[in-house]
Amino acid sequence: MADPTQTSAHSAGGEPPEPADVVFMRRMRKDFQRIRMEHEFAVDEMLTKVSILRKEFLHLHRYNPIEHVGSRVKSTASILRKVARLGIDPTPEAIRAGLHDIAGVRITCSFIADTYRVLEALTSQTDVGVLQIKDYIAHPKPNGYKSLHALVEIPVFLSTGPVPVTVEIQVRTIAMDFWATLEHKIYYKYDGSVPADIVTSLTEAAQLADQLDQQMEELHTEVRGAEWERAENTTPDLDEQMLMRVWESVRTGTGAEGGGGNAGGPAD
């Protein structure tokens, strides 16, 4: 006896129905492409925020605490493998709730104090929701790994409306980043089973990197102390004479509010 669903499809449109697995795979491909797209846009949003911070620090403080910025979004295949490995229901809602490392931004700073300063500046923004912060600088992992980790949620505005997307942020110093990159390569080479003597050497190297961070920050503070104070109290592109002229006009009421000068006229 013929399948009634197929019979109905034949009579209605003349075409047999698509197999269920084909329909499932088409839907999955579309869903996964959309999820990846949302996370790419979220990374773009976060990189814009970081770029604005760099420019602000440079213009107002004459100092840029951010040395390098990198980002990544997991490939569709990588997302699918992790979903299968963790047993997550393959729906957009379950994937968004269960996977928090699809999108990542890594910020490398010169000094330890800068890592906290940058993360605070990012996470204090009103459209950035902080889900979790882990301070591996104050509390390193047993192998010596140090970094600031934050899970944040930011809105991505699409044609269908805003979508909250999670982004993982890592903030570390140059020394921490160098160590972590090397450690990752070593663990990849040994497929996770690193010989004990190499693990010991890595831990010792992490301690040396920490000592270097501390020493360089002390030198930086000593050398830049007075210079930093001068920069904080100086406005670029405004000389003393110009500022005094503005002050005199305000004090004597001869500026725009007092009706004198070029009030209402074209700007210089």
Side-chain angles (χ1 to χ4, degrees), residues 58-201:
L58 209 53
H59 285 295
L60 298 185
H61 306 295
R62 306 281 185 92
Y63 174 68
N64 177 22
I66 301 171
E67 292 288 341
H68 177 72
V69 182
S71 65
R72 62 108 181 94
V73 178
K74 283 185 180 294
S75 66
T76 303
S78 180
I79 297 171
L80 183 58
R81 283 195 298 268
K82 192 159 187 179
V83 164
R85 188 174 79 249
L86 297 179
I88 297 173
D89 190 27
T91 63
E93 296 76 19
I95 292 170
R96 292 190 190 102
L99 288 187
H100 294 152
D101 62 345
I102 296 176
V105 172
R106 180 177 298 160
I107 304 169
T108 307
C109 300
S110 300
F111 306 103
I112 296 172
D114 291 337
T115 63
Y116 289 98
R117 191 178 191 188
V118 168
L119 186 61
E120 171 66 22
L122 284 173
T123 55
S124 62
Q125 297 185 21
T126 56
D127 61 339
V128 176
V130 178
L131 304 178
Q132 184 184 71
I133 292 181
K134 291 185 178 181
D135 187 347
Y136 293 117
I137 295 179
H139 307 285
K141 290 186 178 182
N143 65 350
Y145 175 84
K146 284 191 167 190
S147 183
L148 294 177
H149 285 204
L151 278 181
V152 302
E153 189 176 78
I154 61 174
V156 172
F157 293 90
L158 304 174
S159 60
T160 53
V163 178
V165 181
T166 302
V167 179
E168 182 185 44
I169 303 174
Q170 296 179 0
V171 191
R172 56 180 66 152
T173 66
I174 298 171
M176 294 174 195
D177 188 59
F178 177 67
W179 183 91
T181 301
L182 177 61
E183 190 248 13
H184 178 76
K185 290 179 179 178
I186 290 174
Y187 271 78
Y188 182 81
K189 175 180 174 61
Y190 287 98
D191 196 23
S193 301
V194 182
D197 60 325
I198 295 181
V199 172
T200 301
S201 296

Side-chain angles (χ1 to χ4, degrees), residues 224-243:
R224 189 172 170 79
E227 180 185 347
W228 174 271
E229 187 176 347
R230 285 196 301 272
E232 288 284 283
N233 294 302
T234 302
T235 306
D237 302 324
L238 290 179
D239 59 33
E240 293 288 336
Q241 290 183 350
M242 182 181 295
L243 290 173

